[in-house]
Amino acid sequence: MRVLVVSAPLVGHVFPLVPLAVALRDAGHDVLVATGGGALAAAEAGLPVQDIAPGFDFGRIALRVFPRHPLIARAEMAGTAGTRGAGLLFGALNDQLTDPVVALATRWRPDLVLYEPFAVAGAVAAARLDVPAVRQENALFDGRDLVRATVARLGAALRRHGLTELPTPAAALAVAPLSVATQDGWPMRYTSYVGGGELPAWLREPGERPRILVTRSTLTGPGDRGPMPAVVAAAAQVDAEIVLVRPDERSARSVPGNVRVVGWIPLDEALPASAALVHHGGAGSAFGALAAGRPQLATTGPGDRRHNAELVARRGAGLALRSRDITAQALTRLLTDERLRTAAAQVSREIAAMPPPTDLVARLAALV
């Protein structure tokens, strides 16, 4: 079976697709990943990758799209736009991706197309070739809502390829634990490839004090430094070892004695020896802490960040705060609140009980 895996050209979008793509490859199937930009790093996992977005610049798309829709743009920056902002941005992106993805699929002739909700160009290609399409979730939104919002802005691309609407996929893969969010499809345990970097030995074992990992987004906008500045400002008043992962230069410049700095590390390997995670509210970071059973503090920033943070807080597995509201008291609560720790452990067990990607390979092959 030949499987074309289609992702938006963003690292945080393609890495959650890599474990299933690798499982398909290891089961003897031919796999090709179609993406671009920083997401071409999926090749580090030993997968063949095709660049379908040369010169990709997400910021340029946002600057072109959002000025035409100021109300949605304002709501998107506040994290209150729901799927409307994503529809605008990824509708414009998929308008660019659809032609090269269809051309690649026409040449390569896949038997099945696996795509993520922000890369509906893959579903268009599957419809053109009349092969099964499978949607794999990689966020905490319901993928059906994301696809609807994107396709609503994709009329011209659909018409170029003889479609009036996007067909229902042959299957969908739901990765969110049910106690946190509802998604449609076959359940599959969320796992993500972590490219680059090695874990220092000292991060493999608990330290003398509880450890808080602090990360930031792989995609940042103007003035968006995430939670790190607030954490650094409060750190000296917290009885913990605080580790900044890939900090910006300003955050790393002058830090208290209980703060350490590291580069890119495999977060899933660092979390077991850590007590908590502070992050920007991205889906990958939220999933990582949930899977590890660690309390998290997620900031309520633009895009899906508020949505993700509030879902985690509603489940009781973490805190949702604005970056400027991060205090020593909040960080201390993250370490000492037994209710947060209990809820995070419950969700971790729930995720562990979901089928791993390897268990989905036969079901996907049966669709062809």
Side-chain angles (χ1 to χ4, degrees):
M1 179 174 69
R2 293 164 74 86
V3 183
L4 180 64
V5 179
V6 184
S7 166
L10 297 162
V11 167
H13 289 242
V14 75
F15 277 4
L17 306 184
V18 168
L20 179 56
V22 168
L24 286 161
R25 180 202 64 192
D26 291 349
H29 302 291
D30 292 329
V31 177
L32 176 63
V33 179
T35 187
L40 296 173
E44 297 171 3
L47 294 167
V49 177
Q50 179 74 39
D51 188 355
I52 43 85
F56 169 72
D57 186 334
F58 202 42
R60 190 180 304 152
I61 293 174
L63 288 173
R64 187 179 78 246
V65 169
F66 275 150
R68 304 175 194 167
H69 304 273
L71 295 180
I72 295 179
R74 192 175 303 132
E76 181 73 0
M77 291 306 297
T80 59
T83 59
R84 293 177 297 157
L88 285 175
L89 287 171
F90 289 94
L93 172 60
N94 278 272
D95 183 66
Q96 296 180 17
L97 297 182
T98 296
D99 291 353
V101 171
V102 169
L104 173 61
T106 301
R107 293 193 306 272
W108 198 65
R109 308 304 296 185
D111 301 299
L112 182 144
V113 177
L114 178 72
Y115 68 99
E116 48 113 351
F118 298 96
V120 295
V124 174
R128 275 293 304 270
L129 272 64
D130 194 26
V131 299
V134 175
R135 185 185 72 244
Q136 179 185 330
E137 309 293 6
N138 60 354
L140 280 165
F141 275 112
D142 187 324
R144 293 169 296 184
D145 296 334
L146 289 170
V147 168
R148 278 192 290 268
T150 302
V151 172
R153 304 285 178 176
L154 205 61
L158 292 178
R159 289 192 294 274
R160 287 200 302 271
H161 295 285
L163 301 173
T164 57
E165 60 182 5
L166 204 61
T168 301
L173 306 179
V175 298
L178 284 175
S179 71
V180 176
T182 301
Q183 294 178 337
D184 170 62
W186 302 338
M188 184 180 77
R189 186 187 309 160
Y190 180 93
T191 54
S192 181
Y193 172 71
V194 181
E198 293 186 6
L199 192 67
W202 60 272
L203 277 174
R204 296 186 181 277
E205 302 293 337
E208 294 181 1
R209 291 192 284 181
R211 179 180 299 139
I212 301 175
L213 299 177
V214 188
T215 68
R216 63 188 179 99
S217 177
T218 56
L219 179 67
T220 56
D224 181 10
R225 298 173 63 204
M228 286 190 181
V231 172
V232 171
Q237 304 172 58
V238 182
D239 185 17
E241 176 188 58
I242 295 175
V243 180
L244 307 183
V245 181
R246 294 187 312 107
D248 62 276
E249 185 177 343
R250 286 171 61 191
S251 294
R253 190 174 299 154
S254 179
V255 298
N258 64 328
V259 175
R260 303 179 72 169
V261 173
V262 295
W264 192 292
I265 59 171
L267 196 61
D268 60 331
E269 295 180 20
L271 278 166
S274 302
L277 175 68
V278 176
H279 63 92
H280 65 291
S285 299
F287 272 119
L290 291 172
R294 296 297 181 264
Q296 59 186 288
L297 189 161
T299 55
T300 56
D304 66 343
R305 300 177 189 183
R306 178 181 296 274
H307 172 79
N308 298 334
E310 291 179 347
L311 282 177
V312 168
R314 192 175 305 140
R315 177 60 181 81
L319 306 177
L321 294 174
R322 295 175 299 181
S323 291
R324 65 175 178 265
D325 293 333
I326 295 175
T327 62
Q329 290 76 17
L331 295 173
T332 299
R333 181 186 170 194
L334 198 61
L335 297 172
T336 59
D337 191 328
E338 190 62 36
R339 292 169 299 180
L340 297 179
R341 190 160 34 247
T342 297
Q346 289 170 344
V347 179
S348 176
R349 291 192 292 271
E350 185 181 355
I351 291 174
M354 297 171 74
T358 50
D359 285 6
L360 277 295
V361 170
R363 293 189 75 176
L364 294 176
L367 295 173
V368 175

